[in-house]
Amino acid sequence: MFRLFGSFLFTATLLAVIVLPGGAAAQIFETKAKQAYLIEAETGTVLFAKNEDDLIPPASLAKLMTMEMVFNALKMGQLTLEDEFQVSENAWRTGGAVSGTSTMFAEINSSIRLADLIRGVIVQSGNDACIVIAEGMAGSEDNFAEMMTERARALGLEKSVFGNSTGLPHPDARVTVRELVLLARHIQQSYPEYYTIYSELDFTWNKIFQRNRNPLLRSNIGVDGLKTGFTEESGYGIVSSIQRDGRRLFLAMSGMSSIKERAEEARKMLEWGLRSFEKRELFADGEIIGNASVYGGERSKVALMAGGPVNIFVPVTNADRLKARIVYDWPLTAPVDEGRPVGTLNVWIGDTLSQQTPLFAAESVPKGPLHKRAFDALQELMLFWL
């Protein structure tokens, strides 16, 4: 047991033993990427993880956060697709044709509809388009970057920090591939009407035709997004999603040595993820998963259940033993109301923590009589000193 802020982090006994048939060895996949994270979208099952919490420069992958800011403003009614933004000299010099970076080729002092700027960012990876949006929404790119980081925290991205709207080198800007995957999944699930833009193959602006920089869109394997990036420090990276046969995966990779290697490694991992895992039901909707100890209640335990069925994707062959634990803070003090969040069901496949599911009290446990509370207090004191 581990002491945590005056409580104990306890593991509860599951009511069902989760064991899948198969050999002892977990399925193995190797990648040249320095960092990689692959999940199945519906269940959130982690299929592959490698240095997923390393902090790395975001490069153009930061533009996912820039677009989330835009999509959220559109959803909230703060912007419309017909709104026009002015191209400043700063946007033109820093991210335009004269910058030598990826650009939309926006003309200085021109006005551009937001609908076109969005495609300038997503399809053409235009740094000028990003800066135009940032200045239009926040007055300056510095202000917009602060808003990006604040929004990231609101979305549950605990580590990522954004220094600008473009992903151009910045000393403070850092992300993780885990959080990039969570961001991509959020964009696809929260803004489906705009997510489709990520699959557009080309866009022409200022009479200049440019193809989408995501090479996997043209591979005909089911990839429909999202973004590529490169910096000298972090190498070549990609955030990608694939949907095929009713299944969707999200992948983020970084640290590859070339455009070709990035495309090959991403394609291989996505294909492996689709063919090498199958869906299993661990617990049905409404099924009691386990019990947690209650202090000072009429009963000493409370039954726990998830908010719905608990499904997970497991390796098709050579499946390792599936391990599961219920984790909660002890002591759980009465009264406990039905539906109260109590803990988490953690499921491992091999050494990988593949899924975490919130658990709730399946019943109410009122306060117990005085002698019961006194006995539980003595028990807590004894456990505290163990």
mmCIF file of all heavy atoms in Angstrom, residues 120-159:
data_model
loop_
_atom_site.group_PDB
_atom_site.id
_atom_site.type_symbol
_atom_site.label_atom_id
_atom_site.label_comp_id
_atom_site.label_asym_id
_atom_site.label_seq_id
_atom_site.Cartn_x
_atom_site.Cartn_y
_atom_site.Cartn_z
ATOM 1 N N GLY A 120 -5.757 26.724 -45.107
ATOM 2 C CA GLY A 120 -4.351 27.120 -45.207
ATOM 3 C C GLY A 120 -3.513 26.487 -44.126
ATOM 4 O O GLY A 120 -2.347 26.133 -44.345
ATOM 5 N N VAL A 121 -4.093 26.321 -42.927
ATOM 6 C CA VAL A 121 -3.379 25.675 -41.820
ATOM 7 C C VAL A 121 -3.365 24.157 -41.992
ATOM 8 O O VAL A 121 -2.311 23.510 -41.901
ATOM 9 C CB VAL A 121 -4.025 26.045 -40.466
ATOM 10 C CG1 VAL A 121 -3.364 25.254 -39.332
ATOM 11 C CG2 VAL A 121 -3.906 27.529 -40.205
ATOM 12 N N ILE A 122 -4.532 23.566 -42.216
ATOM 13 C CA ILE A 122 -4.656 22.108 -42.196
ATOM 14 C C ILE A 122 -4.042 21.465 -43.432
ATOM 15 O O ILE A 122 -3.273 20.498 -43.334
ATOM 16 C CB ILE A 122 -6.135 21.705 -42.058
ATOM 17 C CG1 ILE A 122 -6.657 22.098 -40.674
ATOM 18 C CG2 ILE A 122 -6.314 20.201 -42.290
ATOM 19 C CD1 ILE A 122 -8.127 21.817 -40.467
ATOM 20 N N VAL A 123 -4.382 21.969 -44.609
ATOM 21 C CA VAL A 123 -3.931 21.336 -45.849
ATOM 22 C C VAL A 123 -2.521 21.779 -46.210
ATOM 23 O O VAL A 123 -1.675 20.960 -46.574
ATOM 24 C CB VAL A 123 -4.908 21.647 -47.002
ATOM 25 C CG1 VAL A 123 -4.445 20.969 -48.294
ATOM 26 C CG2 VAL A 123 -6.328 21.183 -46.641
ATOM 27 N N GLN A 124 -2.262 23.087 -46.106
ATOM 28 C CA GLN A 124 -0.986 23.622 -46.566
ATOM 29 C C GLN A 124 0.027 23.817 -45.447
ATOM 30 O O GLN A 124 1.170 24.153 -45.717
ATOM 31 C CB GLN A 124 -1.228 24.968 -47.272
ATOM 32 C CG GLN A 124 -2.147 24.851 -48.490
ATOM 33 C CD GLN A 124 -2.460 26.192 -49.114
ATOM 34 O OE1 GLN A 124 -2.490 27.212 -48.440
ATOM 35 N NE2 GLN A 124 -2.698 26.184 -50.415
ATOM 36 N N SER A 125 -0.393 23.624 -44.192
ATOM 37 C CA SER A 125 0.476 23.819 -43.034
ATOM 38 C C SER A 125 1.053 25.225 -43.003
ATOM 39 O O SER A 125 2.193 25.441 -42.586
ATOM 40 C CB SER A 125 1.616 22.789 -43.011
ATOM 41 O OG SER A 125 2.215 22.728 -41.740
ATOM 42 N N GLY A 126 0.262 26.198 -43.414
ATOM 43 C CA GLY A 126 0.739 27.559 -43.548
ATOM 44 C C GLY A 126 1.002 28.239 -42.208
ATOM 45 O O GLY A 126 0.085 28.420 -41.400
ATOM 46 N N ASN A 127 2.251 28.629 -41.997
ATOM 47 C CA ASN A 127 2.580 29.361 -40.782
ATOM 48 C C ASN A 127 1.965 30.758 -40.793
ATOM 49 O O ASN A 127 1.574 31.282 -39.741
ATOM 50 C CB ASN A 127 4.094 29.455 -40.613
ATOM 51 C CG ASN A 127 4.727 28.102 -40.311
ATOM 52 O OD1 ASN A 127 4.161 27.307 -39.573
ATOM 53 N ND2 ASN A 127 5.889 27.845 -40.895
ATOM 54 N N ASP A 128 1.875 31.361 -41.978
ATOM 55 C CA ASP A 128 1.249 32.673 -42.074
ATOM 56 C C ASP A 128 -0.224 32.603 -41.675
ATOM 57 O O ASP A 128 -0.735 33.473 -40.955
ATOM 58 C CB ASP A 128 1.413 33.258 -43.474
ATOM 59 C CG ASP A 128 1.054 32.294 -44.599
ATOM 60 O OD1 ASP A 128 0.696 31.127 -44.304
ATOM 61 O OD2 ASP A 128 1.140 32.702 -45.779
ATOM 62 N N ALA A 129 -0.915 31.548 -42.099
ATOM 63 C CA ALA A 129 -2.327 31.389 -41.750
ATOM 64 C C ALA A 129 -2.506 31.261 -40.237
ATOM 65 O O ALA A 129 -3.448 31.818 -39.651
ATOM 66 C CB ALA A 129 -2.911 30.167 -42.464
ATOM 67 N N CYS A 130 -1.595 30.518 -39.590
ATOM 68 C CA CYS A 130 -1.663 30.366 -38.131
ATOM 69 C C CYS A 130 -1.520 31.705 -37.429
ATOM 70 O O CYS A 130 -2.278 32.025 -36.496
ATOM 71 C CB CYS A 130 -0.561 29.433 -37.643
ATOM 72 S SG CYS A 130 -0.779 27.703 -38.075
ATOM 73 N N ILE A 131 -0.546 32.511 -37.856
ATOM 74 C CA ILE A 131 -0.286 33.786 -37.195
ATOM 75 C C ILE A 131 -1.425 34.762 -37.428
ATOM 76 O O ILE A 131 -1.817 35.505 -36.524
ATOM 77 C CB ILE A 131 1.064 34.367 -37.667
ATOM 78 C CG1 ILE A 131 2.197 33.401 -37.316
ATOM 79 C CG2 ILE A 131 1.315 35.733 -37.032
ATOM 80 C CD1 ILE A 131 3.533 33.758 -37.943
ATOM 81 N N VAL A 132 -1.985 34.741 -38.635
ATOM 82 C CA VAL A 132 -3.143 35.590 -38.927
ATOM 83 C C VAL A 132 -4.290 35.262 -37.981
ATOM 84 O O VAL A 132 -4.937 36.151 -37.408
ATOM 85 C CB VAL A 132 -3.576 35.435 -40.390
ATOM 86 C CG1 VAL A 132 -4.925 36.107 -40.627
ATOM 87 C CG2 VAL A 132 -2.529 36.019 -41.330
ATOM 88 N N ILE A 133 -4.563 33.980 -37.793
ATOM 89 C CA ILE A 133 -5.624 33.547 -36.882
ATOM 90 C C ILE A 133 -5.304 33.959 -35.449
ATOM 91 O O ILE A 133 -6.159 34.481 -34.725
ATOM 92 C CB ILE A 133 -5.817 32.024 -36.976
ATOM 93 C CG1 ILE A 133 -6.471 31.658 -38.303
ATOM 94 C CG2 ILE A 133 -6.651 31.507 -35.807
ATOM 95 C CD1 ILE A 133 -6.536 30.165 -38.569
ATOM 96 N N ALA A 134 -4.053 33.718 -35.026
ATOM 97 C CA ALA A 134 -3.661 34.040 -33.648
ATOM 98 C C ALA A 134 -3.834 35.516 -33.359
ATOM 99 O O ALA A 134 -4.377 35.909 -32.320
ATOM 100 C CB ALA A 134 -2.217 33.605 -33.412
ATOM 101 N N GLU A 135 -3.361 36.368 -34.284
ATOM 102 C CA GLU A 135 -3.482 37.810 -34.083
ATOM 103 C C GLU A 135 -4.940 38.253 -34.123
ATOM 104 O O GLU A 135 -5.350 39.152 -33.378
ATOM 105 C CB GLU A 135 -2.662 38.547 -35.145
ATOM 106 C CG GLU A 135 -1.160 38.343 -34.987
ATOM 107 C CD GLU A 135 -0.352 39.013 -36.077
ATOM 108 O OE1 GLU A 135 -0.937 39.375 -37.126
ATOM 109 O OE2 GLU A 135 0.872 39.184 -35.898
ATOM 110 N N GLY A 136 -5.729 37.625 -34.972
ATOM 111 C CA GLY A 136 -7.132 37.987 -35.076
ATOM 112 C C GLY A 136 -7.938 37.579 -33.861
ATOM 113 O O GLY A 136 -8.879 38.286 -33.460
ATOM 114 N N MET A 137 -7.580 36.462 -33.229
ATOM 115 C CA MET A 137 -8.339 35.967 -32.078
ATOM 116 C C MET A 137 -7.847 36.542 -30.752
ATOM 117 O O MET A 137 -8.638 36.670 -29.810
ATOM 118 C CB MET A 137 -8.268 34.438 -32.023
ATOM 119 C CG MET A 137 -9.065 33.731 -33.096
ATOM 120 S SD MET A 137 -9.025 31.916 -32.929
ATOM 121 C CE MET A 137 -9.892 31.686 -31.351
ATOM 122 N N ALA A 138 -6.551 36.861 -30.660
ATOM 123 C CA ALA A 138 -5.991 37.243 -29.353
ATOM 124 C C ALA A 138 -5.213 38.541 -29.370
ATOM 125 O O ALA A 138 -4.681 38.947 -28.333
ATOM 126 C CB ALA A 138 -5.092 36.120 -28.833
ATOM 127 N N GLY A 139 -5.103 39.189 -30.514
ATOM 128 C CA GLY A 139 -4.365 40.448 -30.579
ATOM 129 C C GLY A 139 -2.896 40.280 -30.873
ATOM 130 O O GLY A 139 -2.293 41.086 -31.557
ATOM 131 N N SER A 140 -2.302 39.206 -30.348
ATOM 132 C CA SER A 140 -0.893 38.898 -30.610
ATOM 133 C C SER A 140 -0.693 37.397 -30.506
ATOM 134 O O SER A 140 -1.490 36.696 -29.877
ATOM 135 C CB SER A 140 0.032 39.618 -29.623
ATOM 136 O OG SER A 140 -0.065 39.022 -28.338
ATOM 137 N N GLU A 141 0.379 36.925 -31.118
ATOM 138 C CA GLU A 141 0.643 35.491 -31.065
ATOM 139 C C GLU A 141 1.032 35.047 -29.665
ATOM 140 O O GLU A 141 0.717 33.930 -29.248
ATOM 141 C CB GLU A 141 1.734 35.111 -32.070
ATOM 142 C CG GLU A 141 1.789 33.605 -32.296
ATOM 143 C CD GLU A 141 2.729 33.194 -33.397
ATOM 144 O OE1 GLU A 141 3.557 34.024 -33.834
ATOM 145 O OE2 GLU A 141 2.661 32.019 -33.810
ATOM 146 N N ASP A 142 1.723 35.907 -28.909
ATOM 147 C CA ASP A 142 2.073 35.560 -27.526
ATOM 148 C C ASP A 142 0.822 35.331 -26.684
ATOM 149 O O ASP A 142 0.745 34.371 -25.908
ATOM 150 C CB ASP A 142 2.935 36.665 -26.902
ATOM 151 C CG ASP A 142 4.359 36.681 -27.445
ATOM 152 O OD1 ASP A 142 4.768 35.664 -28.044
ATOM 153 O OD2 ASP A 142 5.047 37.706 -27.270
ATOM 154 N N ASN A 143 -0.148 36.224 -26.814
ATOM 155 C CA ASN A 143 -1.401 36.050 -26.079
ATOM 156 C C ASN A 143 -2.100 34.758 -26.489
ATOM 157 O O ASN A 143 -2.641 34.029 -25.654
ATOM 158 C CB ASN A 143 -2.337 37.239 -26.317
ATOM 159 C CG ASN A 143 -1.896 38.492 -25.596
ATOM 160 O OD1 ASN A 143 -1.073 38.435 -24.685
ATOM 161 N ND2 ASN A 143 -2.435 39.627 -26.000
ATOM 162 N N PHE A 144 -2.100 34.500 -27.791
ATOM 163 C CA PHE A 144 -2.759 33.297 -28.299
ATOM 164 C C PHE A 144 -2.072 32.048 -27.771
ATOM 165 O O PHE A 144 -2.742 31.060 -27.411
ATOM 166 C CB PHE A 144 -2.744 33.303 -29.828
ATOM 167 C CG PHE A 144 -3.562 32.211 -30.454
ATOM 168 C CD1 PHE A 144 -4.945 32.308 -30.518
ATOM 169 C CD2 PHE A 144 -2.953 31.083 -30.986
ATOM 170 C CE1 PHE A 144 -5.711 31.299 -31.099
ATOM 171 C CE2 PHE A 144 -3.699 30.076 -31.570
ATOM 172 C CZ PHE A 144 -5.083 30.184 -31.634
ATOM 173 N N ALA A 145 -0.743 32.054 -27.691
ATOM 174 C CA ALA A 145 -0.006 30.895 -27.177
ATOM 175 C C ALA A 145 -0.373 30.618 -25.720
ATOM 176 O O ALA A 145 -0.513 29.455 -25.315
ATOM 177 C CB ALA A 145 1.494 31.112 -27.325
ATOM 178 N N GLU A 146 -0.520 31.687 -24.916
ATOM 179 C CA GLU A 146 -0.951 31.502 -23.531
ATOM 180 C C GLU A 146 -2.345 30.880 -23.477
ATOM 181 O O GLU A 146 -2.619 30.002 -22.655
ATOM 182 C CB GLU A 146 -0.933 32.840 -22.794
ATOM 183 C CG GLU A 146 0.461 33.396 -22.552
ATOM 184 C CD GLU A 146 0.429 34.706 -21.779
ATOM 185 O OE1 GLU A 146 -0.674 35.074 -21.298
ATOM 186 O OE2 GLU A 146 1.488 35.349 -21.654
ATOM 187 N N MET A 147 -3.216 31.329 -24.363
ATOM 188 C CA MET A 147 -4.568 30.772 -24.424
ATOM 189 C C MET A 147 -4.540 29.306 -24.844
ATOM 190 O O MET A 147 -5.332 28.490 -24.362
ATOM 191 C CB MET A 147 -5.426 31.586 -25.394
ATOM 192 C CG MET A 147 -5.726 32.999 -24.923
ATOM 193 S SD MET A 147 -6.420 34.068 -26.230
ATOM 194 C CE MET A 147 -7.870 33.133 -26.708
ATOM 195 N N MET A 148 -3.614 28.957 -25.740
ATOM 196 C CA MET A 148 -3.479 27.564 -26.173
ATOM 197 C C MET A 148 -3.122 26.661 -24.992
ATOM 198 O O MET A 148 -3.706 25.583 -24.817
ATOM 199 C CB MET A 148 -2.397 27.451 -27.256
ATOM 200 C CG MET A 148 -2.766 28.058 -28.588
ATOM 201 S SD MET A 148 -1.346 28.135 -29.720
ATOM 202 C CE MET A 148 -1.108 26.396 -30.110
ATOM 203 N N THR A 149 -2.172 27.102 -24.186
ATOM 204 C CA THR A 149 -1.756 26.304 -23.039
ATOM 205 C C THR A 149 -2.877 26.196 -22.012
ATOM 206 O O THR A 149 -3.110 25.122 -21.441
ATOM 207 C CB THR A 149 -0.494 26.902 -22.397
ATOM 208 O OG1 THR A 149 0.559 26.944 -23.374
ATOM 209 C CG2 THR A 149 -0.029 26.061 -21.218
ATOM 210 N N GLU A 150 -3.592 27.300 -21.776
ATOM 211 C CA GLU A 150 -4.730 27.259 -20.852
ATOM 212 C C GLU A 150 -5.804 26.293 -21.355
ATOM 213 O O GLU A 150 -6.385 25.529 -20.584
ATOM 214 C CB GLU A 150 -5.327 28.665 -20.694
ATOM 215 C CG GLU A 150 -4.436 29.626 -19.917
ATOM 216 C CD GLU A 150 -5.017 31.025 -19.880
ATOM 217 O OE1 GLU A 150 -6.144 31.216 -20.399
ATOM 218 O OE2 GLU A 150 -4.343 31.930 -19.358
ATOM 219 N N ARG A 151 -6.072 26.336 -22.643
ATOM 220 C CA ARG A 151 -7.071 25.435 -23.223
ATOM 221 C C ARG A 151 -6.604 23.978 -23.131
ATOM 222 O O ARG A 151 -7.409 23.072 -22.878
ATOM 223 C CB ARG A 151 -7.326 25.820 -24.686
ATOM 224 C CG ARG A 151 -8.309 24.941 -25.431
ATOM 225 C CD ARG A 151 -9.688 25.013 -24.859
ATOM 226 N NE ARG A 151 -10.603 24.165 -25.630
ATOM 227 C CZ ARG A 151 -11.784 23.747 -25.198
ATOM 228 N NH1 ARG A 151 -12.220 24.113 -24.008
ATOM 229 N NH2 ARG A 151 -12.544 22.986 -25.959
ATOM 230 N N ALA A 152 -5.315 23.766 -23.320
ATOM 231 C CA ALA A 152 -4.775 22.415 -23.193
ATOM 232 C C ALA A 152 -5.030 21.855 -21.796
ATOM 233 O O ALA A 152 -5.426 20.689 -21.642
ATOM 234 C CB ALA A 152 -3.279 22.411 -23.504
ATOM 235 N N ARG A 153 -4.822 22.671 -20.772
ATOM 236 C CA ARG A 153 -5.075 22.218 -19.398
ATOM 237 C C ARG A 153 -6.561 21.895 -19.213
ATOM 238 O O ARG A 153 -6.916 20.911 -18.555
ATOM 239 C CB ARG A 153 -4.655 23.286 -18.397
ATOM 240 C CG ARG A 153 -3.175 23.586 -18.384
ATOM 241 C CD ARG A 153 -2.332 22.381 -17.944
ATOM 242 N NE ARG A 153 -0.922 22.714 -18.047
ATOM 243 C CZ ARG A 153 -0.196 22.529 -19.164
ATOM 244 N NH1 ARG A 153 -0.757 21.980 -20.227
ATOM 245 N NH2 ARG A 153 1.073 22.858 -19.202
ATOM 246 N N ALA A 154 -7.432 22.701 -19.788
ATOM 247 C CA ALA A 154 -8.873 22.456 -19.655
ATOM 248 C C ALA A 154 -9.271 21.145 -20.322
ATOM 249 O O ALA A 154 -10.247 20.508 -19.911
ATOM 250 C CB ALA A 154 -9.655 23.618 -20.273
ATOM 251 N N LEU A 155 -8.516 20.733 -21.329
ATOM 252 C CA LEU A 155 -8.800 19.481 -22.027
ATOM 253 C C LEU A 155 -8.131 18.280 -21.366
ATOM 254 O O LEU A 155 -8.271 17.155 -21.845
ATOM 255 C CB LEU A 155 -8.337 19.580 -23.491
ATOM 256 C CG LEU A 155 -9.072 20.599 -24.363
ATOM 257 C CD1 LEU A 155 -8.448 20.667 -25.747
ATOM 258 C CD2 LEU A 155 -10.554 20.273 -24.462
ATOM 259 N N GLY A 156 -7.384 18.518 -20.292
ATOM 260 C CA GLY A 156 -6.725 17.425 -19.596
ATOM 261 C C GLY A 156 -5.314 17.145 -20.061
ATOM 262 O O GLY A 156 -4.720 16.130 -19.673
ATOM 263 N N LEU A 157 -4.740 18.025 -20.877
ATOM 264 C CA LEU A 157 -3.345 17.879 -21.301
ATOM 265 C C LEU A 157 -2.480 18.552 -20.241
ATOM 266 O O LEU A 157 -2.382 19.779 -20.186
ATOM 267 C CB LEU A 157 -3.119 18.513 -22.675
ATOM 268 C CG LEU A 157 -4.108 18.140 -23.781
ATOM 269 C CD1 LEU A 157 -3.679 18.750 -25.111
ATOM 270 C CD2 LEU A 157 -4.261 16.635 -23.902
ATOM 271 N N GLU A 158 -1.867 17.761 -19.388
ATOM 272 C CA GLU A 158 -1.229 18.283 -18.191
ATOM 273 C C GLU A 158 0.189 18.774 -18.406
ATOM 274 O O GLU A 158 0.708 19.557 -17.607
ATOM 275 C CB GLU A 158 -1.226 17.195 -17.107
ATOM 276 C CG GLU A 158 -2.629 16.757 -16.684
ATOM 277 C CD GLU A 158 -2.598 15.644 -15.667
ATOM 278 O OE1 GLU A 158 -1.499 15.103 -15.410
ATOM 279 O OE2 GLU A 158 -3.666 15.292 -15.136
ATOM 280 N N LYS A 159 0.853 18.338 -19.471
ATOM 281 C CA LYS A 159 2.265 18.657 -19.660
ATOM 282 C C LYS A 159 2.539 19.618 -20.805
ATOM 283 O O LYS A 159 3.530 20.352 -20.780
ATOM 284 C CB LYS A 159 3.062 17.365 -19.888
ATOM 285 C CG LYS A 159 3.116 16.433 -18.691
ATOM 286 C CD LYS A 159 4.047 15.258 -18.970
ATOM 287 C CE LYS A 159 4.222 14.374 -17.745
ATOM 288 N NZ LYS A 159 5.191 13.270 -17.995
#
